[in-house]
Amino acid sequence: FEKASVLFNIASLYTQIGTRQDRTTEEGLDCAVDNFLRAAGTFQFIEENFTDAPSRDLGTDCLNMLVQLMLGQARECLLEKTVMGLQDGNDLDLCLELSQEAAHVSTAYDEVLRATVDTTVKDCMPYSWLCLVQVKREHYRAMAD
């Protein structure tokens, strides 16, 4: 249990490092993606290697939702990087890439919602998080269309 708790805190730190990056630069976005993926990997490792968690946050459902959330945030950063490329020109291929990436981000946030609503995670996840994930899913779905 102690090892899983330490790993959970490390993954949480990766999420904090990812959110603190300067997402107005390509380097900042790359660093954010890297940290969100590290967090997802750490949460996934806990899910696969530690069973019978004594708390909900270390339970399979919660860890799965956190993995999906981190993957969604990483995808969102990749989309932001694509948007930066649009500032350089108005290429049709770049617009198509942006639309496709927005669809991927929307799908990623849809996975977060599925991992939340269909499980016991909804009981311990703040309602504001759930609303934000729904808004992001719909925002990126609209961007894709």
Side-chain angles (χ1 to χ4, degrees), residues 16-123:
Q16 290 298 307
I17 293 169
T19 58
R20 303 245 189 267
Q21 298 305 309
D22 180 9
R23 289 168 64 166
T24 61
T25 66
E26 283 192 30
E27 183 180 320
L29 286 167
D30 288 339
C31 194
V33 168
D34 183 58
N35 282 289
F36 289 136
L37 292 178
R38 287 174 190 257
T42 305
F43 287 132
Q44 186 70 41
F45 180 82
I46 297 168
E47 182 182 354
E48 292 171 356
N49 293 288
F50 296 93
T51 57
D52 300 324
S55 63
R56 279 193 199 177
D57 56 350
L58 291 174
T60 303
D61 290 341
C62 186
L63 289 168
N64 181 47
M65 182 276 298
L66 290 170
V67 167
Q68 297 305 319
L69 182 61
M70 294 304 105
L71 294 175
Q73 289 182 307
R75 273 277 187 196
E76 188 173 353
C77 289
L78 292 172
L79 175 90
E80 290 173 15
K81 194 172 176 181
T82 304
V83 169
M84 286 179 127
L86 276 177
Q87 295 170 355
D88 298 335
N90 207 4
D91 186 14
L92 184 61
D93 290 335
L94 200 52
C95 290
L96 180 59
E97 182 182 344
L98 177 64
S99 176
Q100 290 171 338
E101 194 61 46
H104 288 298
V105 174
S106 178
T107 301
Y109 283 122
D110 194 48
E111 289 297 319
V112 175
L113 286 173
R114 268 195 219 114
T116 303
V117 175
D118 296 340
T119 64
T120 60
V121 176
K122 67 178 176 276
D123 298 331

